[in-house]
Amino acid sequence: MFAADNASQTLGIEIAHLSPGHAVTTMTVRDTMVNGHGITHGGYVFTLADSTFALACNGYESPAVAVRADIRFLTPSRLGEQLVAEAVERARFGRNGIYDVTVRRGDEVIAEFRGDSRTVTIQRRRVPHVTAPGDAFE
């Protein structure tokens, strides 16, 4: 799954550990991730946690997607800092799962994320042909 995850890879997210129900990733805060207050934009911290959650809940045979997720920002991070996210499975029942993700800067916890997953059946959709501007049907 991660090999096709352009969003995570574009942000420089790297896998440090991966096993069913557990994942650890890292991301270094880049200048494009800093907001007007000089701290990491919360959306990037959320994305790191969400990507780590996705890796943990997709470690089994059935693909899973998020059905709910929330985050608590505890303290800011800044340009150049390396963030480490660890996702841990708390429960897995039927098609559902609950995962907690802790985001750290060194030993300091900067955010706590909780995500609920649900396994799904992936069906490939056929994409309709779209004509380019200037194409005409005659």
Side-chain angles (χ1 to χ4, degrees), residues 34-120:
V34 176
N35 66 20
H37 296 294
I39 59 177
T40 310
H41 189 289
Y44 290 106
V45 177
F46 185 95
T47 301
L48 173 63
D50 185 51
S51 293
T52 309
F53 159 56
L55 288 164
C57 68
N58 278 282
Y60 299 99
E61 291 184 23
S62 298
V65 297
V67 293
R68 185 192 69 83
D70 60 66
I71 194 165
R72 301 294 183 273
F73 300 107
L74 306 175
T75 190
S77 60
R78 292 180 167 67
L79 177 64
E81 294 179 337
Q82 183 180 57
L83 306 181
V84 178
E86 180 176 14
V88 177
E89 181 180 273
R90 297 297 179 201
R92 196 163 164 252
F93 49 98
R95 295 176 52 203
N96 305 293
I98 300 172
Y99 295 79
D100 287 334
V101 183
T102 300
V103 181
R104 291 182 174 85
R105 173 190 52 232
D107 292 332
E108 186 175 16
V109 176
I110 68 160
E112 290 286 352
F113 170 107
R114 174 158 276 193
D116 297 354
S117 68
R118 184 154 179 95
T119 59
V120 295

Side-chain angles (χ1 to χ4, degrees), residues 7-27:
S8 295
Q9 292 187 32
T10 298
L11 295 176
I13 296 173
E14 296 180 350
I15 299 171
H17 171 80
L18 185 60
S19 61
H22 185 245
V24 178
T25 63
T26 62
M27 179 182 79

